[in-house]
Amino acid sequence: MLLLAFAIPIGFHQALWASGLLALSSLVAMVANRRVGNKALGGGLRWGLLLIAVYWLLLLVSMTYTTDVATGWEILTLKAVMLIYALSFLLADTSWLTSRLMRYVGYAFVASITGVFLYLAGVAVGKMIGGSTLGAVTGTTFDPRHHAYTAIYLAAALVFIYHELYNHWDELKPVLRRCLLGVIPVLILYIIMVNSRAGMLTLYLVEVACTVHFVLTRRRWLWAAVMALLLAGYTFGMEKALPSHESRVAETVENLSSDEPSDARIEINGGSLDAAMKQPLFGYGVGDYRHCLVEQYDENGWDYGVGAEFNAHNQYMETVLSIGVFGSLLFLAMLAWPVWQAWKRRSGALFLVLLVVSIIAFNLLFESMLERQMGLLFIGYALAVMTLTVSCEQNKFGQLPKK
């Protein structure tokens, strides 16, 4: 689990190897202990992980009515990595896990993504010494991976840091406290450097959510105001300092309110909805929905996807297109289940689980994140880890001691 948390921010190739090791270690532990099943998970939490498995089973069923079987199996093979997480945690005994060990998983994730930024920053500085401008080393030049996926990693890391500082401030060693505080501006700068509109919107939502949570639970208005001003001032200042970043969010708002939007994503989502309405109950099947999507764009007079595969750039729409409304409801239940269990069990990790799942759900509006390994690896792992987090130590993960 630690290896996977460390590998995901580095690259999906490394994370795939770590996923295989996780599955293998779960199998070995199951055989060695002669114990099948994770009795540490209550019935509700076990159902949460089973939802992931059932969701992919529904994708498999859609192969019975898809015509492009070869493409369907290719997509299913890609998506199977999420089954590894669900089955590993369901079949293997994880009753030995404690809240402290689960915190180590979060620390490994934060350390890895911070290290990636430091490496990329060194490369960018080298390019600037060679004559490149600041604007030339941001965006895809700074991090060649898809910016939307990188941004969701960073937002989740920021949430973990807030949760850690909020719940364990007194017990953390001063040096670790300072390190966590120092990493916050680094991760914010990283989000800005990759130039993701969805990432910036997510960052603002995280900052507001953490501030409101701090005010409502601690009622330290002055500290909350100082924290909010510092974060907002730093974030806005870094956006202003980097060329072409300031207008990204403004352009999105203008396009949403315009009668003739220039943003291609708005047309893409409209065409996806047109295609989905033609086959709403069960979708087109996992092998055919991309072809039907391109046909719809062609019918609308657009050239999106011509000569190449194309997706809806919206995971909810993508799910309706592939397995219909029923599959979409199952997908939504899969996302919401860790939050429901945390609420039902009055877990100390409720805010952590709620905000991480909210970050995932929000970003799925802008990208079909379960169509790439970067999204599959992180989202499947995050949902499984959130489920385990709720189950640890009678759900007292991060619980503040009663006065």
Side-chain angles (χ1 to χ4, degrees), residues 13 47 84 89 95 98 116 124 133 171 173 195-196 236 244 253-254 261 273 275 313 333 362:
H13 291 100
W47 273 106
I84 292 177
F89 297 131
S95 58
T98 64
V116 170
T133 63
E171 66 186 72
K173 293 182 179 180
N195 200 12
S196 168
F236 183 73
S244 76
V253 175
E254 290 173 2
L273 180 60
H313 289 72
F362 178 68

Side-chain angles (χ1 to χ4, degrees), residues 281-321:
L281 293 182
F282 302 104
Y284 295 94
V286 69
D288 288 348
Y289 71 91
R290 290 183 182 176
H291 304 313
C292 296
L293 192 58
V294 173
E295 289 175 5
Q296 181 64 53
Y297 293 152
D298 182 60
E299 182 181 322
N300 291 358
W302 306 330
D303 59 358
Y304 303 124
V306 174
E309 290 187 346
F310 205 75
N311 61 49
H313 289 72
N314 181 312
Q315 187 57 55
Y316 305 109
M317 195 67 68
E318 199 96 8
T319 305
V320 174
L321 288 166

Side-chain angles (χ1 to χ4, degrees), residues 241-262:
L242 295 173
S244 76
H245 286 63
E246 183 184 1
S247 61
R248 294 278 283 173
V249 175
E251 288 175 359
T252 302
V253 175
E254 290 173 2
N255 274 289
L256 288 173
S257 60
S258 174
D259 294 332
E260 296 182 359
S262 59

Side-chain angles (χ1 to χ4, degrees), residues 34-311:
R34 297 180 181 178
R35 181 175 177 179
V36 179
N38 184 354
K39 295 183 179 180
L41 296 176
L45 293 169
R46 188 176 289 113
W47 273 106
L49 288 178
L50 280 174
L51 277 174
I52 299 176
V54 173
Y55 175 73
W56 301 119
L57 180 62
L58 191 58
L59 288 172
L60 185 62
V61 170
S62 76
M63 288 291 292
T64 61
Y65 55 85
T66 193
T67 57
D68 190 347
V69 177
T71 299
W73 281 116
E74 181 182 346
I75 294 173
L76 283 177
T77 303
L78 175 76
K79 293 176 181 291
V81 67
M82 286 190 74
L83 278 175
I84 292 177
Y85 300 144
L87 295 177
S88 295
F89 297 131
L90 281 170
L91 296 179
D93 176 25
T94 57
S95 58
W96 51 272
L97 279 174
T98 64
S99 61
R100 179 177 292 274
L101 293 175
M102 292 304 298
R103 287 167 61 195
Y104 291 160
V105 173
Y107 275 106
F109 186 77
V110 170
S112 177
I113 204 164
T114 304
V116 170
F117 171 80
L118 295 175
Y119 168 77
L120 294 174
V123 174
V125 170
K127 291 179 180 178
M128 292 179 68
I129 293 174
S132 296
T133 63
L134 180 60
V137 297
T138 60
T140 56
T141 307
F142 181 76
D143 190 337
R145 299 174 299 180
H146 198 296
H147 49 72
Y149 299 86
T150 302
I152 198 175
Y153 298 172
L154 292 161
L158 286 169
V159 172
F160 170 77
I161 292 174
Y162 170 77
H163 181 80
E164 188 71 7
L165 291 173
Y166 177 88
N167 288 285
H168 303 285
W169 179 271
D170 292 333
E171 66 186 72
L172 291 175
K173 293 182 179 180
V175 62
L176 182 55
R177 213 182 292 161
R178 288 192 289 268
C179 285
L180 289 175
L181 290 171
V183 166
I184 292 174
V186 171
L187 298 184
I188 291 175
L189 179 60
Y190 195 172
I191 293 178
I192 297 170
M193 291 287 285
V194 297
N195 200 12
S196 168
R197 284 178 292 184
M200 287 306 306
L201 288 171
T202 303
L203 175 58
Y204 287 127
L205 291 174
V206 167
E207 291 179 356
V208 170
C210 291
T211 302
V212 171
H213 176 261
F214 189 82
V215 169
L216 294 179
T217 56
R218 293 294 177 86
R219 301 190 181 281
R220 295 180 181 177
W221 303 93
L222 179 60
W223 279 105
V226 171
M227 180 177 72
L229 287 173
L230 287 174
L231 287 174
Y234 173 74
T235 303
F236 183 73
M238 288 298 99
E239 271 200 285
K240 292 280 287 185
L242 295 173
S244 76
H245 286 63
E246 183 184 1
S247 61
R248 294 278 283 173
V249 175
E251 288 175 359
T252 302
V253 175
E254 290 173 2
N255 274 289
L256 288 173
S257 60
S258 174
D259 294 332
E260 296 182 359
S262 59
D263 195 324
R265 285 178 181 271
I266 298 176
E267 286 188 344
I268 291 169
N269 286 329
S272 301
L273 180 60
D274 293 338
M277 293 302 293
K278 295 178 180 178
Q279 195 80 6
L281 293 182
F282 302 104
Y284 295 94
V286 69
D288 288 348
Y289 71 91
R290 290 183 182 176
H291 304 313
C292 296
L293 192 58
V294 173
E295 289 175 5
Q296 181 64 53
Y297 293 152
D298 182 60
E299 182 181 322
N300 291 358
W302 306 330
D303 59 358
Y304 303 124
V306 174
E309 290 187 346
F310 205 75
N311 61 49

